[in-house]
Amino acid sequence: MRDFEHLRELIPAYVIGATDEDESRMVEAGLTDYPELAEELREFQFLNDALAESVPEMAPPPEMLGQLLTAARGSRPAAHSAPKILPRPAQRQVKISWQLVAACLTLFLVLTNGFWLYRASVPTVKEIVFQGNPEAELIGLRCRIIVSPNSDSAIMIAENFPLLEVGQTYQVWMRRDGEIVSLGMFIVDEAGDGLLSFTADAINQPFDSIGVTIEPLGGSPAPTTPSVVRWTSI
Amino acid sequence: MKTDIPSLLQRITDGDETALAVLFADYGAKVYGMAYTVLKNTSLAQEVAQDTFVQVWKNPAAWNPTKGQFSSWLLTVARYTAIDRLRREIRRTGQDVELHDEIASAENDDSLLRQLESNHVVTLLHHLPTEQRRVIELAYFQGMKHSEIAEFLQSPLGTVKTRLRLGLQKLKDLLNNQ
């Protein structure tokens, strides 16, 4: 039987990974002998987490997201299923190329060089909770807009959107002072996700609401269908 | 609305790159901050941060929600990845003391220092005696083991163990009493 008190004294260092190899082995073996040692471990785990969270956020280089997506694509494990091609006639439009997505995001982040520098102090990642019809809420339909306060560009990430029929596109609208303007169009992949880049000015100025409708491919000059989802500015 | 981590990780399991981009948008600055704090080198920190997210991409099931918050787990992965990289760099360059000294000079980085000082845990850390705080910093941010700290500080091993244990115990008590 190992000396409980000695093992207990090693727990704080063990939790932050500071025990030498032989000490770590002793602690791990002791955890099976003494249940109260596991409790001690849990208490210090809280401290370990607090130390981790104490590290200040820092702006990653602007090109990093694009590089990450490229690296991820190159290291996709076998466990990941191949992209699902659903047997549906929709989306004969040009599909989103993820190389293009990565390039767009990279370009966006390069253009918005200061984005990450502001992230720690300014809430630059805006989350828009769409309040649409019950069906939209049921499927967890969601959008978020990433924008830098000193940039010309913004990116909207759409998630869990319903798949489109042939010849359709999603179109994003903004209502400001009673006037409705189009922010652009996007289509979604098999997972229901899509991206749209538009000028940041559009949402940096006060507005009433943003909505997404389904329109004919190529877009419409004004909404022709009810909003799939809508966000009203607070 | 908080990001729904389990569903995000499920999408990553399915190979959804948008989900990875969302994860990066949410945690990129934290992970990069951790990597930079350990390595004090922007290129290495970038590689480590990328490696951290690629690890999540390759094995999203590695996070066990019953064992803690996703954020803490991700930062722990980032810290150990950074420490592994730091050790490789030390082996490669053979500049043990110089590299550690360079890292220790983080205290001279005004911007980092200001951010650190504004942090609650770091404020509490400054309530500890200098020698206890020093061994915690060496252990936590530079990944040193008991014996390595003793060698680095030219202190008896028993003294190092005691300082680290007392320092961490005191820090835990301070946190619990907040």
Side-chain angles (χ1 to χ4, degrees):
Chain A
M1 208 64 154
R2 295 160 195 86
D3 177 359
F4 172 75
E5 197 52 38
H6 176 56
L7 293 175
R8 198 176 69 82
E9 288 181 355
L10 285 175
I11 287 289
Y14 175 78
V15 166
I16 66 165
T19 42
D20 287 297
E21 210 170 307
D22 56 333
E23 293 172 326
S24 297
R25 278 198 299 271
M26 280 168 54
V27 170
E28 283 153 16
L31 285 169
T32 58
D33 294 340
Y34 302 104
E36 52 273 54
L37 210 56
E39 181 56 36
E40 187 85 359
L41 187 76
R42 272 191 292 276
E43 287 182 19
F44 273 96
Q45 189 60 47
F46 165 71
L47 172 62
N48 186 57
D49 293 350
L51 279 168
E53 297 287 352
S54 75
V55 172
E57 293 186 7
M58 289 188 67
E63 71 277 11
M64 197 176 146
L65 178 55
Q67 291 175 349
L68 169 63
L69 293 176
T70 303
R73 198 169 303 118
S75 68
R76 174 172 295 195
H80 280 169
S81 56
K84 289 172 282 189
I85 306 299
L86 301 181
R88 60 192 171 86
Q91 310 264 9
R92 269 193 284 162
Q93 321 159 25
V94 178
K95 279 181 62 62
I96 291 178
S97 150
W98 286 113
Q99 284 86 351
L100 181 61
V101 170
C104 283
L105 285 170
T106 302
L107 179 62
F108 167 70
L109 290 170
V110 168
L111 289 172
T112 62
N113 210 14
F115 166 66
W116 291 104
L117 297 176
Y118 281 82
R119 183 175 160 78
S121 55
V122 179
T124 52
V125 178
K126 298 183 181 179
E127 285 205 13
I128 295 180
V129 180
F130 284 83
Q131 295 174 336
N133 52 48
E135 292 87 346
E137 290 177 9
L138 201 63
I139 60 172
L141 190 147
R142 187 180 183 207
C143 271
R144 59 174 60 195
I145 291 175
I146 300 176
V147 64
S148 168
N150 63 343
S151 143
D152 293 336
S153 302
I155 281 185
M156 188 182 84
I157 302 175
E159 299 169 79
N160 298 324
F161 271 61
L163 301 178
L164 294 165
E165 299 298 327
V166 176
Q168 291 182 330
T169 183
Y170 284 111
Q171 191 161 1
V172 184
W173 307 94
M174 170 178 283
R175 180 189 291 273
R176 177 182 287 132
D177 298 331
E179 187 185 353
I180 297 177
V181 294
S182 171
L183 294 181
M185 290 162 282
F186 69 93
I187 58 173
V188 295
D189 62 14
E190 288 81 8
D193 298 337
L195 295 172
L196 172 67
S197 176
F198 53 89
T199 60
D201 274 354
I203 62 167
N204 284 337
Q205 308 290 326
F207 61 91
D208 303 320
S209 63
I210 295 177
V212 179
T213 62
I214 296 174
E215 300 296 336
L217 191 61
S220 303
T224 61
T225 62
S227 292
V228 178
V229 288
R230 190 176 62 220
W231 182 64
T232 302
S233 182
I234 298 168
Chain B
M1 185 166 71
K2 286 234 172 204
T3 302
D4 179 358
I5 294 296
S7 71
L8 204 57
L9 293 178
Q10 180 55 53
R11 290 170 53 200
I12 287 175
T13 303
D14 295 338
D16 180 346
E17 292 174 2
T18 301
L20 184 63
V22 170
L23 197 72
F24 180 81
D26 281 354
Y27 295 99
K30 277 176 176 278
V31 168
Y32 183 73
M34 174 61 85
Y36 184 82
T37 301
V38 172
L39 291 157
K40 287 298 291 169
N41 177 297
T42 52
S43 322
L44 293 177
Q46 187 175 346
E47 287 177 27
V48 162
Q50 181 173 304
D51 285 351
T52 302
F53 282 102
V54 168
Q55 286 179 61
V56 176
W57 172 252
K58 289 165 86 171
N59 187 15
W63 173 58
N64 180 348
T66 64
K67 292 196 172 173
Q69 298 285 322
F70 175 78
S71 172
S72 303
W73 172 79
L74 185 66
L75 288 173
T76 300
V77 172
R79 183 169 78 90
Y80 280 116
T81 305
I83 286 169
D84 284 348
R85 186 54 193 265
L86 176 65
R87 288 176 178 275
R88 282 214 307 277
E89 286 301 309
I90 289 170
R91 277 199 300 274
R92 191 178 65 79
T93 62
Q95 292 181 325
D96 189 313
V97 174
E98 288 79 359
L99 189 53
H100 281 314
D101 282 345
E102 184 187 336
I103 292 160
S105 72
E107 287 171 6
N108 296 325
D109 183 330
D110 288 344
S111 147
L112 192 63
L113 188 60
R114 272 198 300 276
Q115 290 183 69
L116 281 167
E117 281 176 345
S118 67
N119 182 277
H120 180 55
V121 177
V122 176
T123 305
L124 294 179
L125 206 53
H126 282 269
H127 282 79
L128 304 181
T130 309
E131 61 273 15
Q132 290 179 7
R133 189 173 74 241
R134 181 72 176 132
V135 293
I136 290 175
E137 287 168 349
L138 289 171
Y140 192 81
F141 293 112
Q142 295 183 37
M144 288 189 185
K145 310 289 185 189
H146 279 143
S147 54
E148 292 169 323
I149 298 171
E151 186 181 342
F152 182 70
L153 294 178
Q154 298 289 298
S155 298
L157 182 58
T159 304
V160 167
K161 287 183 180 181
T162 303
R163 284 177 181 167
L164 187 57
R165 175 170 53 82
L166 292 178
L168 290 170
Q169 180 66 55
K170 199 174 294 182
L171 194 57
K172 179 168 91 72
D173 293 343
L174 287 168
L175 270 172
N176 285 339
N177 291 332
Q178 292 302 303

